[in-house]
Amino acid sequence: MAQQRISHHRRSLMLGAAAAGAAALTQPLSVLAQGNEDIVIGGSIPMTGVFAFAGVGINAGIQDYVKIVNDAGGIAGRKVRYVPEDTGYKVDVSVATFKKLTSQNKINLYYGDSTGFAKTINPELDRNGQILMAGASFASELNDPQKFPNQFLVGPDYTEMFGILLKHIAKEKPGAKVAFVYSDSEFGRDPIERSEATAKALGLSVPIKIMTPAGSVDVSTEVIKLRRAAPDYTIFHGYILAPIPEFINQGKQQGMKSKWMGTFWTMDSSTVMQMGEAGDGFMGVMPFRYYYDTESAPMLEKIRSMRPEYQSTAYIQGFLAAMLFLESAKRCLEAGKPLSGPNLKAALNTLKDFDTGGLIGVPITITGNSIPVGRVYRADMKAKKMVAASDWIKL
């Protein structure tokens, strides 16, 4: 009798185990296989070279957000690992880095250093099928879910940045004349054509467009042309700093009354402050809050507690990229889906009225490949800070 009870008990255990096994098989094998593996973020990061000023900040931002997540127990009990390598902002080095890192690690999330890299590696991302990528680029071309289904931009694309500035201008001065000054580069030319059409649709006119070499020094001829056009606003794009201060100084000397504006890569506080007196009142579009903004932003407070010294807008961009990467991974795992490129991108596109902890001043919704939100800030040289000149503008 006792033996019968034992064998009955054993059979119950075996049947229970079999049932559990059968239930487990209803889960995709890839979900089961990824049980306790680390979630890995790879990175082609320009820690040296012409873009190092941004790369150093981006790297620190990603590191810090990964630390915050791991200190809180990871994502669904899984640790996050960040494996970056310096690329010197060279496309061939970045491609080699991608191949090396993905061969050594099971990478599902990747940060790229440039538009050139994002375009070059795109067929590989599509073939690989396991990776969601973001990066330093805001190129309008990448804002196409059909052509770039496994990528996204951590902010508005360059055309959307112009759209935000032009909306602000149309509200501040209806019918204003706006000049576009841009570099003779892919970066510089990116938003110009479509932004001219946007300006006209908003009732603004574009009396002049001026293209200069990227690092031009002598802009006296161009300034004369600009003065004759007498714009109310001048938007610079495709530069970091030079030749913007030269344009402003010479324009002011020649009696120009234009307001001067820039886009993301010109708008870091440390860059604008280098303009000196010429930069007072300089305005531009920024998708994120600045490190020192005083409005309520719990995530900025967290950053300031971790790093008491000023952190660049590139740092905020890296930090937010990591936040969006890992939110996508969390949503995938909660839905019982494997971490693949298409699943991660689909999870990212479920973000509706998502709170970034105040890094962006309004909740964000990501329906495509960009975050079409920004705010106009103005340089206050006495305070040595960028101060808000508009509300948050959504396109």
Side-chain angles (χ1 to χ4, degrees):
M1 195 67 181
Q3 200 167 2
Q4 272 185 323
R5 269 203 307 273
I6 290 166
S7 62
H8 177 73
H9 180 61
R10 187 180 294 148
R11 192 161 63 248
S12 299
L13 286 175
M14 286 173 72
L15 286 170
L25 287 173
T26 64
Q27 290 283 319
L29 287 175
S30 44
V31 173
L32 296 170
Q34 63 187 13
N36 290 310
E37 289 175 352
D38 289 350
I39 297 169
V40 187
I41 302 174
S44 287
I45 312 289
M47 300 292 285
T48 56
V50 294
F51 213 58
F53 72 93
V56 169
I58 288 163
N59 186 60
I62 298 173
Q63 274 178 340
D64 283 3
Y65 191 72
V66 166
K67 182 178 185 331
I68 289 169
V69 167
N70 282 335
D71 286 352
I75 303 285
R78 291 168 61 176
K79 287 289 181 191
V80 181
R81 196 157 47 86
Y82 170 47
V83 288
E85 216 163 278
D86 178 31
T87 61
Y89 198 60
K90 293 174 180 160
V91 172
D92 58 338
V93 179
S94 202
V95 170
T97 297
F98 177 89
K99 288 181 175 169
K100 177 186 164 187
L101 292 177
T102 52
S103 70
Q104 294 173 350
N105 305 271
K106 186 170 185 288
I107 289 176
N108 292 115
L109 303 157
Y110 202 90
Y111 192 97
D113 58 4
S114 66
T115 304
F117 171 67
K119 285 160 68 173
T120 305
I121 210 69
N122 194 58
E124 182 61 32
L125 285 179
D126 292 349
R127 265 196 310 275
N128 174 296
Q130 298 304 306
I131 295 172
L132 174 65
M133 190 169 110
S137 175
F138 295 102
S140 304
E141 188 181 345
L142 302 179
N143 193 6
D144 183 339
Q146 268 23 75
K147 288 185 184 166
F148 298 91
N150 299 305
Q151 298 199 45
F152 71 97
L153 311 175
V154 192
D157 70 33
Y158 293 129
T159 305
E160 289 169 339
M161 288 183 194
F162 263 67
I164 290 162
L165 290 173
L166 292 168
K167 262 185 100 167
H168 173 71
I169 291 168
K171 186 180 175 187
E172 191 174 78
K173 186 165 185 171
K177 294 194 286 182
V178 187
F180 296 169
V181 180
Y182 59 100
S183 69
D184 184 5
S185 64
E186 187 180 19
F187 170 28
R189 290 185 294 271
D190 177 321
I192 301 305
E193 195 177 315
R194 280 190 288 168
S195 297
E196 192 170 8
T198 302
K200 284 175 182 165
L202 288 165
L204 307 169
S205 65
V206 182
I208 191 167
K209 295 177 293 180
I210 293 173
M211 186 169 74
T212 79
S216 50
V217 181
D218 181 12
V219 294
S220 48
T221 311
E222 284 81 7
V223 174
I224 290 165
K225 289 179 195 165
L226 194 61
R227 190 199 71 212
R228 283 189 193 131
D232 300 300
Y233 297 82
T234 301
I235 301 176
F236 296 98
H237 177 72
Y239 311 103
I240 306 296
L241 187 57
I244 296 172
E246 274 305 303
F247 266 100
I248 297 173
N249 277 321
Q250 290 185 37
K252 283 182 175 176
Q253 283 162 13
Q254 293 179 33
M256 283 185 70
K257 299 295 182 208
S258 175
K259 289 186 175 180
W260 313 91
M261 294 179 142
T263 51
F264 181 83
W265 291 114
T266 298
M267 285 298 290
D268 186 55
S269 205
S270 59
T271 305
V272 178
M273 295 307 140
Q274 287 177 56
M275 295 183 189
E277 219 174 289
D280 197 42
F282 183 82
M283 291 188 290
V285 59
M286 180 49 58
F288 323 122
R289 284 213 169 101
Y290 284 86
Y291 172 86
Y292 44 62
D293 271 16
T294 53
E295 294 158 280
S296 173
M299 206 49 94
L300 266 187
E301 285 163 28
K302 181 90 176 158
I303 288 167
R304 290 192 288 250
S305 72
M306 292 172 83
R307 293 187 184 261
E309 67 288 353
Y310 172 80
Q311 294 301 311
S312 70
T313 49
Y315 169 96
I316 305 288
Q317 196 217 20
F319 191 98
L320 183 61
M323 182 189 291
L324 296 174
F325 275 157
L326 295 174
E327 180 63 27
S328 303
K330 176 169 161 273
R331 291 182 181 214
C332 260
L333 294 174
E334 281 173 353
K337 291 183 177 173
L339 299 180
S340 68
N343 285 346
L344 286 159
K345 183 63 183 355
L348 179 79
N349 288 145
T350 65
L351 264 64
K352 190 173 183 340
D353 296 329
F354 177 73
D355 180 9
T356 60
L359 297 184
I360 296 174
V362 287
I364 60 169
T365 298
I366 306 179
T367 55
N369 279 10
S370 74
I371 310 168
V373 175
R375 190 188 213 180
V376 179
Y377 279 84
R378 177 178 51 78
D380 180 339
M381 285 304 181
K382 282 200 184 85
K384 297 211 175 319
K385 280 184 178 177
M386 304 302 294
V387 296
S390 80
D391 290 330
W392 289 90
I393 297 168
K394 285 183 176 185
L395 296 182

